Amino acid sequence: QVQLVQSGAEVKKPGASVKVSCKASGYTFTDYFLHWVRQAPGQGLEWMGRINPTYGNADYAQKFQGWVTMTRDASLSTANQELTGLESDDTVVYFCARERTLVAATTSRYFDLWGRGTLVTVSS
Amino acid sequence: DVQMTQSPSSLSASIGDRVTITCRASQSFGASLNWYQQKPGKAPQLLIFGASRLQSGVPSRFSGSGSGTDFALTISSLQPEDSAIYYCQQSDNTPWTFGQGTKVEIK
């Protein structure tokens, strides 16, 4: 079954770090970029960045540079995201999503597969 | 960054109604405009990619159109299961950006 399985919910104190994982199954992990998207309660979707599973290099949205690190372990078909210096307003759901690309007259990129999300609650 | 503005922010319509949600970009780009549906407590699901291409398995009552800066998602005949929040997203420029969402409710 083609799916992305994310790690379970976390509760952290302000200032702590957390690592969220996303395990791919049912397809070749290195064939598709993986992205991370976050969503605060009752809010919209925000793109955080993406990782190339083949080489492990990542691109980040500017606001997340310096406190978010995306890595992968290709042997485990798993992408990870570590967030440091958590603050109270960082209580959000983090989704991983697979990027597909359609090359036709124009090139289209989109998320065709999503994980179920990981809730990270920051509370003292 | 490319700003994506959806309208309306919310709407209420009856079963069988035709519903259109628009998405305007702050700058012109190609066809990398996607639409997602999100239900409470769930991950978003892809409806439309490349502005007008229907994702496999998505009912044909959903359609997408537009180019440049103006795009639209149309539900030709609203069904009860279409109650959700709909997001547009551009993937032509990094950072990929989403619209703020449109909440569709059934009257």
Side-chain angles (χ1 to χ4, degrees):
Chain A
Q1 184 180 1
V2 179
Q3 59 183 348
L4 297 172
V5 178
Q6 295 188 228
S7 50
E10 303 263 11
V11 179
K12 295 292 182 179
K13 294 191 181 301
S17 298
V18 68
K19 194 171 191 177
V20 179
S21 68
C22 172
K23 182 175 176 61
S25 62
Y27 72 94
T28 302
F29 178 68
T30 51
D31 280 353
Y32 305 98
F33 281 59
L34 274 176
H35 296 239
W36 291 92
V37 174
R38 75 171 190 174
Q39 185 172 41
Q43 301 301 308
L45 301 166
E46 185 174 24
W47 183 82
M48 300 180 70
R50 69 176 185 177
I51 187 165
N52 180 334
T54 299
Y55 302 112
N57 56 302
D59 302 308
Y60 302 94
Q62 188 170 10
K63 70 179 290 185
F64 299 107
Q65 289 181 354
W67 67 280
V68 174
T69 303
M70 298 175 187
T71 59
R72 95 307 185 210
D73 184 333
S75 68
L76 297 177
S77 297
T78 298
N80 304 296
Q81 177 173 247
E82 184 170 20
L83 305 102
T84 60
L86 296 171
E87 299 178 354
S88 292
D89 61 5
D90 288 338
T91 296
V92 296
V93 175
Y94 295 92
F95 294 101
C96 59
R98 184 178 76 171
E99 174 188 331
R100 291 296 298 271
T101 301
L102 173 68
V103 179
T106 58
T107 298
S108 301
R109 296 182 177 85
Y110 51 94
F111 299 142
D112 73 324
L113 182 66
W114 293 71
R116 297 178 71 173
T118 296
L119 174 64
V120 176
T121 302
V122 182
S123 174
S124 55
Chain B
D1 299 0
V2 180
Q3 306 300 317
M4 307 299 291
T5 303
Q6 289 181 230
S7 62
S9 296
S10 65
L11 65 90
S12 181
S14 299
I15 301 300
D17 281 355
R18 183 181 182 87
V19 169
T20 297
I21 300 167
T22 63
C23 180
R24 173 163 287 179
S26 61
Q27 63 188 68
S28 180
F29 55 85
S32 282
L33 189 286
N34 311 310
W35 291 95
Y36 301 89
Q37 176 193 68
Q38 187 179 32
K39 296 184 177 180
K42 301 291 188 182
Q45 285 196 309
L46 179 68
L47 298 175
I48 301 288
F49 64 96
S52 60
R53 297 175 182 266
L54 188 69
Q55 170 69 348
S56 176
V58 173
S60 59
R61 63 180 180 274
F62 292 94
S63 64
S65 62
S67 64
T69 60
D70 294 304
F71 300 87
L73 173 71
T74 298
I75 308 172
S76 61
S77 177
L78 192 67
Q79 299 301 304
E81 60 268 31
D82 300 336
S83 177
I85 299 176
Y86 294 83
Y87 294 94
C88 63
Q89 175 213 31
Q90 69 81 22
S91 52
D92 196 68
N93 296 283
T94 302
W96 293 18
T97 46
F98 293 87
Q100 81 278 16
T102 295
K103 186 174 185 178
V104 174
E105 295 180 321
I106 310 296
K107 280 183 184 175

